[in-house]
Amino acid sequence: MTKQVRQLDRVIIRFAGDSGDGMQLTGDRFTQETAAFGNDLSTLPNFPAEIRAPAGTLPGVSSFQLHFADHDILTPGDAPNVLVAMNPAALKANVGDLPRGADLIVNTDEFTKRALAKVGYAANPLEDGSLDEYRVHSLPLTSMTVKALEDFDISKKDAERAKNMFALGLLSWLYHRPTEATVRFLEVKFAKKPEIMKANIAAFQAGWNYGETTESFSVSYEVKPATLPPGLYRNISGNMALAYGLIAASVRSGLPLFLGSYPITPASDILHELSKHKRFGVRTFQAEDEIAAVGAALGASFGGALGVTTTSGPGLALKAETVGLGVATELPLVVIDVQRAGPSTGMPTKTEQADLLQAMYGRNGEAPVPVVAPRTPSDCFATAVEAARLAVKYRTPVILLSDGYLANGSEPWQLPDVDALPEIDPAFAQPGEEEFQPFERDPETLARPWAVPGTAGLEHRIGGIEKADGSGNISYDPDNHDLMVRLRQAKIDGIARDIAPLAVDDPDGDARVLVLGWGGTYGAITAAVRRVRNSGGEVAQAHLRHLNPFPANLEEVLRSYDKVIVPEINLGQLALILRGRFLVDVIGYNRVRGLPFKAEELADVIRDVINS
């Protein structure tokens, strides 16, 4: 039977099920095949905080959304065109996001009376007409998988677990995804369990064959590869890009990389990834708590290494005293905060942007530090290199603010020319004829010398007590303290001369409204700006990577527009700083739901401001 193949320019798919149904693995494999095929893509994994939430409950639903296209895209998509729901809980948690006419693939085996009652369904939605506005494909995925694997010497439970591979095979057929890499992946993943490996491959192939032969799907779809700039690409998540960026900074600086870290969601993957790269001189230390982790990292910097510590918001609070010690001792330190929904434990697996004020001001005394933020998962690489450059050149802790959306999301990344990466020169102090002055400053950067302990002639005091200018001796002199406070602030302020001016995207120069963002809101803002322009609206856009200090031209940019919109996934932290610093009454748009912005909601906000 010859089936129709329909061309599409983009598709948004969401896999949803229990946290034990393998939805993250299924989504990741579909993503890897899509990346290999050459589509542009963006992903949004969304999973519960509990390690194993109660099966069949709404809090236990895990989902993975993938947006792929034949053109440049920026977000995981506002709403899925296709939802794969493995049980009633997955359906109920996600069906509200489906647009009319979307495809809904449902595992009917799990729609028992007990499972329906557990999530509050009084009647079976597959039978009561409540899903009539969607194209519903009711499939007994579990029993079809078990049937396909009846010749394998595995338990029924193991056979049922392979239903995610059956679903992956079906979707791979439906959207013409390559399959060879998934087969190789399964061969490696289950190499020590050959019967399980063969069963999962068989389930995957059975799903593909079902799509090929069934009359339930008379049409398959094709999304052609995207036209991207020439180069070598790979799919990369934000956390992996941060890890690679730190390694690159270590190589470019010639400094051994030391990571002191305490595992915390959603930052732990950076520790996991860096632990694999000892051949690059990377040393990882899993500490007993956040304070020990940052203390070890600062100690490594004192010893002449590139000291790094990773955490999320609660851990950043615990590290504050040691970051302050880094400010006082003026040692390089990279602090990566992968922000999550708070306060306290909050929603550990959900995203947020609410640590900006903590990063800027969350230490005792006048303790300024540079703050930078990546805009996309792949931009995490360049931002990590930049954080290390600033830390080493200016002898200061630097806080990098990523977030859960960037950390777990992924997109194609064009591998950079390594030789074109910034030079990072530690410029260690060298013994001279005169007595070493540990706080004698470079006239351009105001950075003090970095002296490796044990170097003859460079002995000096170190610690958190105030130091005398130049000599570094302990000093309680009031005027010296005032001078040192101002010198440390001037050093950070001077970084503005060493960063690029803020670039503004204003095609015709006629826009009177500017949208200014920072961090992981870039994709949604840019997609929204495109929609407004395509509908005839005039709007400018700018996005901040450097949050302290700001680019030198930021005030000029702000005053060039009648209205400035600042969308943030917090209650207006950047807006507060901008109002206080520049006396510009920016318009905040704030939602704190643990989810990234949708492009259409921001487009509506922009249109309302343009028309007001």
Side-chain angles (χ1 to χ4, degrees):
M1 179 176 60
T2 301
K3 296 191 176 185
Q4 179 185 357
V5 178
R6 187 173 300 165
Q7 296 291 329
L8 299 175
D9 63 348
R10 66 186 185 99
V11 176
I12 305 168
I13 298 175
R14 184 182 298 175
F15 298 93
D18 267 336
S19 54
D21 282 339
M23 294 296 95
Q24 301 304 317
L25 175 63
T26 305
D28 181 69
R29 288 315 313 160
F30 197 94
T31 299
Q32 298 303 328
E33 298 290 8
T34 297
F37 186 74
N39 297 122
D40 196 14
L41 63 89
S42 179
T43 67
L44 177 62
N46 191 356
F47 39 86
E50 292 80 4
I51 294 173
R52 186 66 175 93
T57 63
L58 292 173
V61 173
S62 174
S63 67
F64 189 106
Q65 183 162 306
L66 166 67
H67 183 190
F68 61 102
D70 64 3
H71 57 276
D72 173 42
I73 58 172
L74 298 155
T75 75
D78 287 358
N81 309 116
V82 183
L83 172 64
V84 180
M86 302 300 280
N87 61 20
L91 176 64
K92 189 164 190 176
N94 293 280
V95 70
D97 293 334
L98 286 180
R100 180 184 296 272
D103 284 297
L104 178 57
I105 300 173
V106 182
N107 179 18
T108 57
D109 287 325
E110 299 298 323
F111 278 67
T112 64
K113 288 184 179 180
R114 185 169 181 270
L116 291 166
K118 190 180 288 188
V119 295
Y121 276 126
N124 190 337
L126 303 178
E127 300 170 351
D128 65 4
S130 60
L131 303 177
D132 286 350
E133 61 185 298
Y134 313 114
R135 293 184 295 195
V136 180
H137 305 273
S138 299
L139 307 176
L141 293 175
T142 305
S143 56
M144 285 195 295
T145 304
V146 171
K147 178 68 175 175
L149 304 182
E150 60 186 1
D151 293 335
F152 290 85
D153 185 20
I154 59 174
S155 67
K156 183 180 178 183
K157 186 175 183 180
D158 283 336
E160 290 176 346
R161 283 176 176 167
K163 63 181 179 290
N164 65 324
M165 288 296 104
F166 188 101
L168 177 59
L170 173 59
L171 269 293
S172 297
W173 170 83
L174 191 59
Y175 290 99
H176 292 246
R177 301 295 92 184
T179 60
E180 295 79 7
T182 293
V183 173
R184 290 195 298 270
F185 168 82
L186 293 171
E187 289 172 345
V188 173
K189 180 176 178 62
F190 296 112
K192 295 181 180 179
K193 299 178 179 179
E195 198 67 11
I196 296 293
M197 178 259 287
K198 293 175 185 176
N200 275 272
I201 293 174
F204 176 66
Q205 293 170 338
W208 176 283
N209 293 336
Y210 177 79
E212 184 75 24
T213 58
T214 184
E215 295 182 5
S216 299
F217 295 92
S218 59
V219 178
S220 64
Y221 303 93
E222 188 173 76
V223 181
K224 293 186 179 299
T227 301
L228 300 173
L232 182 62
Y233 288 81
R234 61 155 296 169
N235 189 51
I236 198 166
S237 69
N239 275 347
M240 183 174 287
L242 286 174
Y244 287 3
L246 292 171
I247 295 171
S250 169
V251 172
R252 294 295 281 174
S253 64
L255 298 172
L257 174 61
F258 178 92
L259 174 69
S261 183
Y262 178 74
I264 184 172
T265 302
S268 299
D269 284 343
I270 305 171
L271 169 62
H272 301 160
E273 184 61 34
L274 284 176
S275 68
K276 303 174 184 176
H277 298 287
K278 294 181 177 62
R279 67 186 183 279
F280 290 109
V282 177
R283 286 171 286 181
T284 53
F285 168 55
Q286 182 173 319
E288 65 267 29
D289 57 41
E290 297 280 4
I291 298 171
V294 67
L298 186 61
S301 289
F302 174 60
L306 177 58
V308 179
T309 189
T310 54
T311 190
S312 190
L316 184 63
L318 291 167
K319 295 180 190 294
E321 183 179 10
T322 305
V323 174
L325 177 61
V327 173
T329 56
E330 301 191 46
L331 287 169
L333 177 68
V334 177
V335 181
I336 295 178
D337 173 12
V338 185
Q339 300 167 95
R340 72 189 204 189
S344 189
T345 305
M347 299 191 297
T349 59
K350 311 302 180 184
T351 196
E352 205 161 278
Q353 283 187 302
D355 292 347
L356 176 57
L357 293 180
Q358 180 182 195
M360 293 279 284
Y361 307 116
R363 294 162 295 283
N364 68 299
E366 297 288 346
V369 298
V371 180
V372 295
R375 60 176 61 185
T376 66
S378 62
D379 187 51
C380 287
F381 176 88
T383 308
V385 174
E386 173 67 356
R389 183 187 75 86
L390 295 177
V392 170
K393 183 174 181 178
Y394 292 91
R395 315 297 199 234
T396 178
V398 176
I399 296 178
L400 186 156
L401 293 177
S402 182
D403 60 56
Y405 164 59
L406 296 181
N408 296 315
S410 64
E411 65 179 358
W413 172 51
Q414 184 178 7
L415 273 61
D417 177 0
V418 175
D419 293 333
L421 295 176
E423 289 285 350
I424 302 176
D425 182 7
F428 287 119
Q430 301 298 325
E433 296 182 0
E434 299 181 358
E435 182 180 357
F436 178 53
Q437 297 287 299
F439 280 83
E440 183 179 17
R441 298 180 183 277
D442 180 283
E444 179 183 350
T445 65
L446 297 182
R448 77 171 186 88
W450 189 5
V452 177
T455 305
L458 299 183
E459 298 86 355
H460 63 285
R461 288 186 175 88
I462 200 77
I465 298 178
E466 185 65 280
K467 307 296 185 296
D469 180 37
S471 70
N473 294 328
I474 292 173
S475 173
Y476 292 99
D477 179 74
D479 291 334
N480 176 77
H481 177 57
D482 183 81
L483 173 64
M484 294 295 279
V485 166
R486 294 178 186 277
L487 282 171
R488 288 189 289 261
Q489 183 66 58
K491 179 177 71 171
I492 304 306
D493 292 343
I495 293 173
R497 298 189 296 270
D498 194 20
I499 60 178
L502 180 63
V504 180
D505 176 21
D506 187 355
D508 299 324
D510 297 328
R512 304 316 308 153
V513 173
L514 170 71
V515 185
L516 178 68
W518 69 276
T521 58
Y522 173 79
I525 291 174
T526 306
V529 166
R530 287 181 181 179
R531 294 186 186 194
V532 172
R533 289 174 180 168
N534 289 339
S535 63
E538 293 181 341
V539 60
Q541 179 191 359
H543 209 80
L544 291 166
R545 170 181 283 176
H546 296 87
L547 295 157
N548 192 39
F550 288 128
N553 67 329
L554 177 57
E555 181 174 10
E556 178 187 351
V557 169
L558 294 175
R559 295 192 181 281
S560 298
Y561 293 89
D562 297 338
K563 298 173 182 177
V564 179
I565 308 170
V566 182
E568 299 181 79
I569 308 178
N570 58 46
L571 294 182
Q573 296 187 13
L574 177 60
L576 177 68
I577 296 170
L578 295 176
R579 291 188 185 109
R581 185 79 58 85
F582 303 117
L583 300 181
V584 173
D585 191 18
V586 301
I587 302 168
Y589 178 73
N590 311 100
R591 299 196 79 187
V592 196
R593 303 171 59 238
L595 295 170
F597 286 125
K598 294 182 177 180
E600 190 57 33
E601 69 172 306
L602 291 183
D604 288 341
V605 171
I606 296 169
R607 293 185 188 104
D608 288 344
V609 172
I610 290 175
N611 295 327
S612 64

